[in-house]
Amino acid sequence: MKVTILANYAPNAYKGLIQGSDREAAIKTLFESVGGKVSGVMFTRGAYDIVVNAEVPDQAAGMGLALAVRASGSVTDLVVLEELDMKAVLAAANKAAKVYKPAG
């Protein structure tokens, strides 16, 4: 399953960055620990400090690593975006649309 992670570092984490903490290596190790693989890490300017593109074996693995990162206190905001199979989503939407009766 492909995921994109958007995050902002907490003030205490900036200290580690300034002191030379290799966050890209740490992120790769984190994903590998749940059977995943990182395809890209970008440190960004704007709404988020970092964007990670990766793959994880399943939703539990992705949410598990997100939970571990949140629990560490090193981020103030973390968003996990999961890639969707739009053909499957549209097939389900078409089935639901045939039977859904709106109010009114």
Coordinates of all heavy atoms in Angstrom, one line a residue:
M1 N 0.9 -1.2 0.0 CA 0.0 0.0 0.0 C 0.9 1.2 0.0 O 1.8 1.3 0.8 CB -0.9 0.0 1.2 CG -1.8 1.1 1.4 SD -2.9 0.9 2.8 CE -1.9 1.6 4.1
K2 N 0.7 2.2 -0.9 CA 1.4 3.4 -1.0 C 0.8 4.4 0.0 O -0.4 4.5 0.1 CB 1.5 4.0 -2.4 CG 2.2 3.1 -3.3 CD 2.3 3.7 -4.7 CE 3.0 2.8 -5.7 NZ 3.1 3.4 -7.0
V3 N 1.7 5.1 0.7 CA 1.3 6.2 1.6 C 2.2 7.4 1.4 O 3.3 7.3 1.0 CB 1.4 5.7 3.1 CG1 0.5 4.6 3.4 CG2 2.8 5.3 3.5
T4 N 1.6 8.5 1.7 CA 2.3 9.8 1.8 C 2.1 10.3 3.2 O 1.0 10.4 3.7 CB 1.8 10.8 0.8 OG1 2.1 10.3 -0.6 CG2 2.5 12.2 0.9
I5 N 3.2 10.7 3.9 CA 3.1 11.2 5.2 C 3.5 12.7 5.2 O 4.6 13.0 4.6 CB 4.1 10.4 6.2 CG1 3.9 8.9 6.0 CG2 4.1 11.0 7.6 CD1 3.1 8.3 7.1
L6 N 2.7 13.5 5.8 CA 3.0 14.9 6.0 C 3.2 15.2 7.5 O 2.3 14.7 8.3 CB 1.9 15.8 5.4 CG 1.3 15.4 4.0 CD1 0.1 16.2 3.8 CD2 2.4 15.7 3.0
A7 N 4.2 15.9 7.9 CA 4.4 16.1 9.3 C 5.2 17.4 9.6 O 5.9 17.9 8.7 CB 5.2 14.9 9.9
N8 N 5.0 17.9 10.8 CA 5.7 19.0 11.3 C 6.5 18.6 12.6 O 5.9 17.8 13.4 CB 4.7 20.2 11.7 CG 4.2 20.8 10.5 OD1 4.9 21.2 9.6 ND2 2.9 21.0 10.5
Y9 N 7.7 19.0 12.7 CA 8.5 18.7 13.8 C 8.1 19.5 15.0 O 7.7 20.7 14.9 CB 10.0 18.9 13.5 CG 10.6 17.9 12.6 CD1 11.0 18.2 11.4 CD2 10.7 16.6 13.1 CE1 11.5 17.2 10.5 CE2 11.3 15.6 12.3 CZ 11.7 15.9 11.0 OH 12.2 14.9 10.2
A10 N 8.2 18.9 16.2 CA 8.0 19.7 17.5 C 9.3 20.5 17.8 O 10.3 20.1 17.3 CB 7.7 18.7 18.6
P11 N 9.1 21.5 18.6 CA 10.3 22.3 18.9 C 11.5 21.6 19.4 O 12.7 21.8 18.9 CB 9.8 23.3 19.9 CG 8.4 23.5 19.6 CD 7.9 22.1 19.2
N12 N 11.3 20.5 20.2 CA 12.5 19.8 20.7 C 13.1 19.0 19.6 O 14.3 18.7 19.7 CB 12.0 18.8 21.9 CG 11.0 17.8 21.4 OD1 9.9 18.2 20.9 ND2 11.2 16.6 21.7
A13 N 12.4 18.6 18.6 CA 13.0 17.8 17.5 C 13.9 18.7 16.6 O 14.8 18.2 16.0 CB 11.9 17.2 16.6
Y14 N 13.6 20.0 16.5 CA 14.4 20.9 15.8 C 15.9 20.9 16.3 O 16.8 21.0 15.6 CB 13.9 22.3 15.7 CG 12.7 22.5 14.8 CD1 11.5 22.9 15.3 CD2 12.8 22.2 13.5 CE1 10.4 23.0 14.5 CE2 11.7 22.4 12.6 CZ 10.5 22.8 13.2 OH 9.4 22.9 12.3
K15 N 16.0 20.8 17.6 CA 17.3 20.7 18.3 C 18.1 19.6 17.8 O 19.3 19.7 17.4 CB 17.1 20.7 19.8 CG 18.4 20.7 20.5 CD 18.2 20.7 22.0 CE 19.5 20.8 22.8 NZ 19.3 20.8 24.2
G16 N 17.5 18.4 17.6 CA 18.1 17.2 17.1 C 18.5 17.4 15.7 O 19.6 17.0 15.3
L17 N 17.7 18.1 14.9 CA 18.0 18.3 13.5 C 19.3 19.2 13.4 O 20.2 18.9 12.6 CB 16.8 19.0 12.8 CG 15.6 18.2 12.4 CD1 14.5 19.0 11.9 CD2 16.0 17.1 11.4
I18 N 19.3 20.3 14.2 CA 20.4 21.2 14.2 C 21.7 20.5 14.6 O 22.8 20.8 14.1 CB 20.1 22.4 15.1 CG1 19.0 23.3 14.4 CG2 21.4 23.3 15.3 CD1 18.4 24.3 15.3
Q19 N 21.6 19.5 15.5 CA 22.8 18.8 16.0 C 23.2 17.7 15.0 O 24.2 17.0 15.3 CB 22.5 18.3 17.4 CG 22.3 19.3 18.4 CD 21.9 18.8 19.8 OE1 21.5 17.7 19.9 NE2 22.0 19.7 20.8
G20 N 22.5 17.5 13.9 CA 22.9 16.6 12.9 C 22.2 15.2 12.9 O 22.7 14.3 12.2
S21 N 21.1 15.1 13.5 CA 20.4 13.8 13.5 C 20.0 13.5 12.0 O 19.3 14.3 11.4 CB 19.1 13.9 14.4 OG 18.4 12.7 14.3
D22 N 20.3 12.3 11.6 CA 20.0 11.9 10.2 C 18.6 11.4 10.1 O 18.4 10.2 10.3 CB 21.0 10.8 9.7 CG 20.9 10.5 8.3 OD1 19.8 10.8 7.6 OD2 21.8 9.8 7.8
R23 N 17.7 12.3 9.9 CA 16.3 11.9 9.9 C 15.9 11.0 8.7 O 15.0 10.1 8.9 CB 15.4 13.1 9.9 CG 15.6 14.1 11.1 CD 15.8 13.4 12.4 NE 14.8 12.4 12.8 CZ 15.0 11.4 13.6 NH1 16.2 11.1 14.1 NH2 14.0 10.6 13.9
E24 N 16.5 11.2 7.6 CA 16.2 10.3 6.5 C 16.6 8.8 6.8 O 15.8 7.9 6.5 CB 16.9 10.8 5.2 CG 16.4 10.1 4.0 CD 16.9 10.7 2.7 OE1 17.4 11.9 2.7 OE2 16.7 10.1 1.6
A25 N 17.7 8.6 7.4 CA 18.1 7.2 7.8 C 17.1 6.7 8.8 O 16.7 5.5 8.8 CB 19.5 7.2 8.3
A26 N 16.7 7.5 9.8 CA 15.8 7.1 10.8 C 14.4 6.8 10.2 O 13.8 5.8 10.6 CB 15.6 8.2 11.9
I27 N 14.0 7.5 9.3 CA 12.7 7.3 8.6 C 12.7 6.0 7.8 O 11.8 5.1 7.9 CB 12.3 8.5 7.7 CG1 12.0 9.7 8.6 CG2 11.1 8.1 6.8 CD1 11.9 11.0 7.8
K28 N 13.8 5.7 7.1 CA 14.0 4.5 6.4 C 14.0 3.3 7.3 O 13.3 2.3 7.1 CB 15.2 4.5 5.5 CG 15.1 5.4 4.3 CD 16.3 5.5 3.5 CE 16.1 6.4 2.3 NZ 17.3 6.5 1.4
T29 N 14.7 3.4 8.4 CA 14.7 2.3 9.4 C 13.3 2.1 10.0 O 12.9 0.9 10.2 CB 15.7 2.6 10.5 OG1 17.0 2.8 9.9 CG2 15.8 1.6 11.6
L30 N 12.6 3.1 10.3 CA 11.3 3.0 10.8 C 10.4 2.2 9.9 O 9.7 1.3 10.3 CB 10.7 4.4 11.1 CG 9.2 4.5 11.4 CD1 9.0 3.9 12.8 CD2 8.7 6.0 11.4
F31 N 10.4 2.6 8.6 CA 9.5 1.9 7.6 C 9.9 0.4 7.5 O 9.1 -0.4 7.4 CB 9.5 2.6 6.3 CG 8.5 3.7 6.2 CD1 8.7 5.0 6.7 CD2 7.2 3.5 5.7 CE1 7.8 6.0 6.7 CE2 6.2 4.5 5.7 CZ 6.5 5.7 6.2
E32 N 11.2 0.2 7.4 CA 11.7 -1.2 7.3 C 11.3 -2.0 8.5 O 11.0 -3.2 8.3 CB 13.2 -1.2 7.1 CG 13.7 -0.6 5.8 CD 15.2 -0.3 5.7 OE1 15.9 -0.5 6.7 OE2 15.6 0.2 4.6
S33 N 11.2 -1.4 9.7 CA 10.8 -2.2 10.9 C 9.4 -2.8 10.8 O 9.1 -3.8 11.5 CB 10.9 -1.3 12.1 OG 9.8 -0.4 12.2
V34 N 8.5 -2.2 9.9 CA 7.2 -2.7 9.7 C 7.0 -3.4 8.4 O 5.9 -3.6 7.9 CB 6.1 -1.7 10.0 CG1 6.1 -1.1 11.4 CG2 6.2 -0.5 8.9
G35 N 8.1 -3.6 7.7 CA 8.1 -4.3 6.4 C 7.8 -3.4 5.2 O 7.4 -3.8 4.1
G36 N 8.0 -2.1 5.4 CA 7.8 -1.1 4.4 C 9.1 -0.6 3.7 O 10.2 -1.1 4.1
K37 N 8.9 0.3 2.8 CA 10.1 0.8 2.0 C 9.8 2.3 1.7 O 8.7 2.6 1.2 CB 10.3 0.0 0.8 CG 11.5 0.4 0.0 CD 11.7 -0.4 -1.2 CE 13.0 0.1 -2.0 NZ 13.2 -0.7 -3.2
V38 N 10.8 3.1 1.9 CA 10.7 4.6 1.6 C 11.2 4.8 0.1 O 12.2 4.3 -0.3 CB 11.6 5.4 2.6 CG1 11.6 6.9 2.2 CG2 11.0 5.3 4.0
S39 N 10.4 5.5 -0.6 CA 10.8 5.9 -2.0 C 11.2 7.3 -2.1 O 11.9 7.7 -3.0 CB 9.6 5.6 -3.0 OG 8.5 6.4 -2.6
G40 N 10.9 8.2 -1.1 CA 11.3 9.6 -1.1 C 11.1 10.3 0.2 O 10.1 10.1 0.9
V41 N 12.0 11.1 0.6 CA 11.9 12.0 1.7 C 12.2 13.4 1.3 O 13.3 13.7 0.7 CB 12.9 11.6 2.9 CG1 12.8 12.6 4.0 CG2 12.6 10.2 3.3
M42 N 11.3 14.4 1.6 CA 11.5 15.8 1.2 C 11.4 16.6 2.5 O 10.3 16.5 3.2 CB 10.5 16.3 0.2 CG 10.7 15.7 -1.2 SD 9.7 16.5 -2.4 CE 8.0 16.4 -1.7
F43 N 12.3 17.4 2.7 CA 12.2 18.5 3.8 C 11.6 19.7 3.1 O 12.2 20.1 2.0 CB 13.5 18.7 4.5 CG 14.0 17.5 5.2 CD1 14.9 16.6 4.6 CD2 13.6 17.3 6.5 CE1 15.3 15.5 5.2 CE2 14.0 16.1 7.2 CZ 14.9 15.2 6.5
T44 N 10.5 20.2 3.5 CA 9.8 21.2 2.8 C 9.6 22.5 3.6 O 9.8 22.6 4.8 CB 8.4 20.7 2.4 OG1 7.7 20.3 3.5 CG2 8.6 19.5 1.4
R45 N 9.3 23.6 2.8 CA 8.9 24.8 3.4 C 7.5 25.1 3.1 O 7.0 24.8 2.0 CB 9.8 25.9 2.7 CG 9.7 27.3 3.3 CD 10.7 28.2 2.6 NE 10.5 28.3 1.2 CZ 10.5 29.4 0.5 NH1 10.7 30.6 1.2 NH2 10.3 29.5 -0.8
G46 N 6.7 25.5 4.1 CA 5.3 25.7 3.9 C 4.5 25.1 5.0 O 4.9 25.1 6.2
A47 N 3.4 24.5 4.7 CA 2.5 23.9 5.7 C 3.1 22.8 6.5 O 2.7 22.5 7.6 CB 1.2 23.5 5.1
Y48 N 4.0 22.0 5.9 CA 4.6 20.9 6.5 C 6.1 20.9 6.4 O 6.6 21.4 5.4 CB 4.1 19.5 5.9 CG 2.6 19.3 6.2 CD1 1.6 19.7 5.3 CD2 2.2 18.8 7.4 CE1 0.3 19.5 5.5 CE2 0.8 18.7 7.7 CZ -0.1 19.0 6.8 OH -1.4 18.9 7.1
D49 N 6.8 20.4 7.4 CA 8.2 20.3 7.4 C 8.8 19.2 6.6 O 9.9 19.3 6.1 CB 8.8 20.2 8.9 CG 8.4 21.4 9.8 OD1 8.3 22.5 9.3 OD2 8.2 21.1 11.0
I50 N 8.1 18.1 6.5 CA 8.6 16.9 5.8 C 7.5 16.2 5.1 O 6.4 16.1 5.6 CB 9.4 16.0 6.9 CG1 10.1 14.9 6.2 CG2 8.4 15.5 8.0 CD1 11.1 14.2 7.0
V51 N 7.8 15.6 4.0 CA 6.9 14.8 3.2 C 7.6 13.4 2.9 O 8.8 13.5 2.5 CB 6.5 15.4 1.9 CG1 5.6 14.5 1.1 CG2 5.8 16.8 2.2
V52 N 7.0 12.3 3.3 CA 7.6 11.0 3.0 C 6.7 10.2 2.1 O 5.5 10.1 2.4 CB 7.8 10.2 4.4 CG1 8.4 8.9 4.1 CG2 8.6 11.0 5.3
N53 N 7.2 9.7 1.0 CA 6.5 8.8 0.2 C 7.1 7.4 0.4 O 8.3 7.2 0.4 CB 6.6 9.2 -1.3 CG 5.9 10.5 -1.6 OD1 4.7 10.6 -1.3 ND2 6.6 11.5 -2.1
A54 N 6.2 6.5 0.6 CA 6.6 5.1 1.0 C 5.6 4.1 0.7 O 4.5 4.4 0.3 CB 7.0 5.1 2.5
E55 N 6.0 2.8 0.9 CA 5.0 1.7 0.9 C 5.1 1.0 2.2 O 6.1 0.8 2.8 CB 5.4 0.8 -0.3 CG 5.2 1.4 -1.6 CD 5.4 0.4 -2.8 OE1 5.1 -0.8 -2.6 OE2 5.9 0.8 -3.8
V56 N 3.9 0.5 2.6 CA 3.8 -0.4 3.8 C 3.0 -1.6 3.4 O 2.2 -1.5 2.4 CB 3.1 0.4 5.0 CG1 4.0 1.5 5.5 CG2 1.8 1.0 4.6
P57 N 3.1 -2.7 4.1 CA 2.4 -3.9 3.7 C 0.9 -3.8 3.8 O 0.2 -4.4 3.0 CB 2.9 -5.0 4.6 CG 4.0 -4.4 5.5 CD 4.1 -2.9 5.2
D58 N 0.4 -3.0 4.8 CA -1.0 -2.9 5.0 C -1.3 -1.7 5.9 O -0.4 -1.0 6.4 CB -1.6 -4.2 5.6 CG -0.8 -4.7 6.9 OD1 -0.4 -3.8 7.7 OD2 -0.7 -5.9 7.1
Q59 N -2.6 -1.5 6.1 CA -3.0 -0.3 6.9 C -2.6 -0.4 8.3 O -2.2 0.6 8.9 CB -4.6 -0.2 6.8 CG -5.1 1.1 7.4 CD -6.6 1.1 7.3 OE1 -7.3 0.2 7.7 NE2 -7.1 2.2 6.7
A60 N -2.5 -1.6 8.9 CA -2.1 -1.7 10.3 C -0.6 -1.3 10.5 O -0.3 -0.6 11.4 CB -2.3 -3.2 10.8
A61 N 0.2 -1.7 9.5 CA 1.6 -1.3 9.6 C 1.8 0.2 9.5 O 2.5 0.8 10.2 CB 2.4 -2.0 8.5
G62 N 1.1 0.8 8.5 CA 1.1 2.3 8.4 C 0.7 3.0 9.6 O 1.3 4.0 10.0
M63 N -0.5 2.6 10.1 CA -1.0 3.3 11.3 C -0.2 3.0 12.5 O 0.0 3.8 13.4 CB -2.5 3.0 11.5 CG -3.4 3.4 10.4 SD -3.1 5.2 9.9 CE -3.6 6.0 11.3
G64 N 0.4 1.8 12.6 CA 1.3 1.5 13.7 C 2.5 2.3 13.8 O 2.9 2.9 14.9
L65 N 3.2 2.6 12.7 CA 4.3 3.4 12.7 C 3.9 4.9 12.9 O 4.7 5.6 13.6 CB 5.2 3.2 11.4 CG 4.8 3.7 10.1 CD1 5.1 5.2 9.9 CD2 5.5 3.0 9.0
A66 N 2.8 5.3 12.4 CA 2.3 6.7 12.7 C 2.0 6.8 14.2 O 2.4 7.9 14.8 CB 1.1 7.0 11.9
L67 N 1.5 5.8 14.8 CA 1.2 5.9 16.3 C 2.5 6.0 17.1 O 2.6 6.8 18.0 CB 0.4 4.6 16.7 CG 0.0 4.6 18.1 CD1 -0.9 5.7 18.5 CD2 -0.7 3.2 18.4
A68 N 3.5 5.2 16.7 CA 4.8 5.3 17.3 C 5.4 6.6 17.2 O 6.0 7.2 18.2 CB 5.7 4.2 16.8
V69 N 5.3 7.2 16.1 CA 5.9 8.6 15.9 C 5.2 9.6 16.7 O 5.8 10.5 17.3 CB 6.0 9.0 14.4 CG1 6.3 10.4 14.2 CG2 6.9 8.0 13.6
R70 N 3.8 9.5 16.6 CA 3.0 10.5 17.4 C 3.3 10.3 18.9 O 3.5 11.3 19.6 CB 1.5 10.2 17.2 CG 1.0 10.7 15.9 CD -0.5 10.5 15.8 NE -1.0 11.1 14.6 CZ -1.4 10.4 13.6 NH1 -1.5 9.0 13.6 NH2 -1.9 10.9 12.5
A71 N 3.5 9.1 19.4 CA 3.7 8.9 20.8 C 5.1 9.4 21.3 O 5.3 9.7 22.4 CB 3.6 7.4 21.1
S72 N 6.0 9.5 20.3 CA 7.4 10.0 20.6 C 7.4 11.5 21.0 O 8.4 11.9 21.7 CB 8.3 9.8 19.4 OG 8.1 10.7 18.4
G73 N 6.4 12.2 20.6 CA 6.4 13.6 20.9 C 7.3 14.5 20.0 O 7.4 15.7 20.2
S74 N 7.8 13.8 18.9 CA 8.7 14.6 18.0 C 8.0 15.3 16.9 O 8.6 16.1 16.2 CB 9.7 13.6 17.4 OG 9.1 12.6 16.6
V75 N 6.7 15.1 16.8 CA 5.9 15.8 15.8 C 4.7 16.5 16.4 O 4.2 16.0 17.4 CB 5.5 14.9 14.6 CG1 6.7 14.4 13.8 CG2 4.6 13.8 15.1
T76 N 4.3 17.6 15.8 CA 3.1 18.3 16.3 C 1.9 18.0 15.4 O 0.8 18.3 15.8 CB 3.4 19.8 16.4 OG1 3.7 20.3 15.1 CG2 4.4 20.2 17.4
D77 N 2.2 17.5 14.2 CA 1.1 17.3 13.3 C 1.6 16.1 12.4 O 2.8 16.2 11.9 CB 0.8 18.5 12.5 CG -0.4 18.4 11.6 OD1 -1.2 17.5 11.9 OD2 -0.5 19.2 10.7
L78 N 0.8 15.2 12.1 CA 1.2 14.1 11.3 C -0.1 13.6 10.5 O -1.1 13.3 11.1 CB 1.7 12.9 12.1 CG 2.3 11.8 11.2 CD1 3.7 11.4 11.8 CD2 1.4 10.6 11.3
V79 N 0.0 13.6 9.2 CA -1.1 13.2 8.3 C -0.7 12.0 7.5 O 0.4 12.1 6.9 CB -1.6 14.4 7.4 CG1 -2.7 13.9 6.5 CG2 -2.0 15.6 8.2
V80 N -1.5 11.0 7.5 CA -1.2 9.8 6.7 C -2.2 9.7 5.5 O -3.4 9.6 5.8 CB -1.2 8.5 7.5 CG1 -0.9 7.3 6.6 CG2 -0.3 8.5 8.7
L81 N -1.7 9.8 4.3 CA -2.6 9.7 3.1 C -2.3 8.3 2.5 O -1.2 8.0 2.2 CB -2.2 10.8 2.1 CG -2.3 12.3 2.7 CD1 -1.8 13.2 1.6 CD2 -3.8 12.6 3.1
E82 N -3.4 7.6 2.3 CA -3.3 6.2 1.7 C -3.8 6.3 0.3 O -4.8 6.9 0.0 CB -4.2 5.3 2.5 CG -3.8 5.1 3.9 CD -4.8 4.2 4.7 OE1 -5.8 3.7 4.1 OE2 -4.6 4.1 5.9
E83 N -3.0 5.6 -0.6 CA -3.4 5.6 -2.0 C -4.7 4.7 -2.1 O -4.8 3.7 -1.4 CB -2.3 4.9 -2.8 CG -2.6 4.8 -4.3 CD -1.5 4.2 -5.1 OE1 -1.0 3.1 -4.7 OE2 -1.2 4.8 -6.2
L84 N -5.6 5.1 -3.0 CA -6.8 4.4 -3.2 C -6.9 3.8 -4.6 O -6.3 4.3 -5.5 CB -8.0 5.3 -3.1 CG -8.3 6.0 -1.7 CD1 -9.4 7.0 -1.8 CD2 -8.6 4.9 -0.7
D85 N -7.5 2.7 -4.7 CA -7.8 2.1 -6.0 C -9.1 2.7 -6.4 O -10.2 2.3 -6.0 CB -8.0 0.5 -5.8 CG -8.3 -0.2 -7.1 OD1 -8.7 0.5 -8.1 OD2 -8.3 -1.4 -7.1
M86 N -9.1 3.7 -7.3 CA -10.2 4.5 -7.7 C -11.2 3.6 -8.5 O -12.4 3.8 -8.4 CB -9.9 5.7 -8.5 CG -9.5 6.9 -7.6 SD -10.7 7.3 -6.3 CE -12.0 8.0 -7.2
K87 N -10.8 2.6 -9.2 CA -11.7 1.7 -9.9 C -12.6 1.0 -8.9 O -13.8 0.9 -9.1 CB -11.0 0.7 -10.8 CG -10.4 1.4 -12.0 CD -9.7 0.3 -12.9 CE -9.1 1.0 -14.1 NZ -8.4 0.1 -15.0
A88 N -12.0 0.5 -7.8 CA -12.8 -0.2 -6.8 C -13.7 0.8 -6.1 O -14.9 0.5 -5.7 CB -11.9 -0.9 -5.8
V89 N -13.2 2.0 -5.8 CA -14.0 3.0 -5.1 C -15.2 3.4 -6.0 O -16.4 3.5 -5.5 CB -13.2 4.3 -4.8 CG1 -14.1 5.4 -4.3 CG2 -12.1 3.9 -3.7
L90 N -15.0 3.6 -7.3 CA -16.1 4.0 -8.2 C -17.1 2.8 -8.3 O -18.3 3.1 -8.4 CB -15.6 4.4 -9.5 CG -14.8 5.8 -9.5 CD1 -14.1 6.0 -10.8 CD2 -15.7 6.9 -9.1
A91 N -16.6 1.6 -8.3 CA -17.5 0.5 -8.4 C -18.4 0.4 -7.2 O -19.6 0.2 -7.3 CB -16.7 -0.8 -8.5
A92 N -17.9 0.6 -6.0 CA -18.7 0.7 -4.8 C -19.6 1.9 -4.8 O -20.8 1.7 -4.4 CB -17.8 0.7 -3.6
A93 N -19.2 3.0 -5.3 CA -20.0 4.2 -5.3 C -21.2 4.0 -6.3 O -22.3 4.4 -6.0 CB -19.2 5.4 -5.8
N94 N -21.0 3.3 -7.4 CA -22.0 3.1 -8.3 C -23.1 2.1 -7.7 O -24.3 2.3 -7.9 CB -21.5 2.5 -9.6 CG -20.9 3.6 -10.5 OD1 -21.5 4.7 -10.6 ND2 -19.7 3.4 -11.0
K95 N -22.6 1.1 -7.0 CA -23.6 0.2 -6.4 C -24.4 0.9 -5.3 O -25.6 0.8 -5.2 CB -22.8 -0.9 -5.7 CG -22.2 -2.0 -6.6 CD -21.5 -3.1 -5.9 CE -20.8 -4.0 -6.8 NZ -20.0 -5.0 -6.0
A96 N -23.7 1.8 -4.5 CA -24.4 2.5 -3.4 C -25.4 3.5 -4.0 O -26.5 3.7 -3.5 CB -23.4 3.2 -2.5
A97 N -25.0 4.2 -5.1 CA -25.8 5.2 -5.7 C -27.1 4.6 -6.3 O -28.2 5.3 -6.3 CB -25.1 5.9 -6.9
K98 N -27.1 3.4 -6.7 CA -28.3 2.7 -7.2 C -29.4 2.5 -6.1 O -30.6 2.4 -6.4 CB -28.0 1.4 -7.9 CG -27.2 1.6 -9.2 CD -26.8 0.3 -9.8 CE -25.9 0.5 -11.0 NZ -25.4 -0.7 -11.5
V99 N -28.9 2.4 -4.9 CA -29.9 2.0 -3.8 C -30.1 3.2 -2.8 O -31.1 3.2 -2.0 CB -29.5 0.8 -3.0 CG1 -29.4 -0.4 -3.9 CG2 -28.2 1.0 -2.3
Y100 N -29.2 4.2 -2.8 CA -29.4 5.3 -1.9 C -30.6 6.2 -2.2 O -30.8 6.6 -3.3 CB -28.1 6.1 -1.8 CG -28.2 7.3 -0.9 CD1 -28.2 7.1 0.5 CD2 -28.3 8.6 -1.3 CE1 -28.3 8.1 1.4 CE2 -28.4 9.7 -0.5 CZ -28.4 9.4 0.9 OH -28.5 10.5 1.8
K101 N -31.4 6.4 -1.1 CA -32.5 7.3 -1.3 C -32.3 8.6 -0.4 O -32.2 8.5 0.8 CB -33.8 6.6 -0.8 CG -34.1 5.3 -1.5 CD -34.7 5.5 -2.8 CE -35.2 4.2 -3.4 NZ -34.5 3.8 -4.5
P102 N -32.0 9.7 -1.1 CA -31.8 10.9 -0.3 C -33.0 11.4 0.5 O -34.1 11.1 0.1 CB -31.4 12.0 -1.4 CG -31.9 11.4 -2.7 CD -32.0 9.9 -2.5
A103 N -32.7 12.1 1.6 CA -33.8 12.6 2.4 C -34.6 13.7 1.5 O -34.0 14.4 0.7 CB -33.3 13.3 3.6
G104 N -35.9 13.8 1.8 CA -36.7 14.8 1.1 C -37.3 14.4 0.0 O -37.7 14.3 -1.0

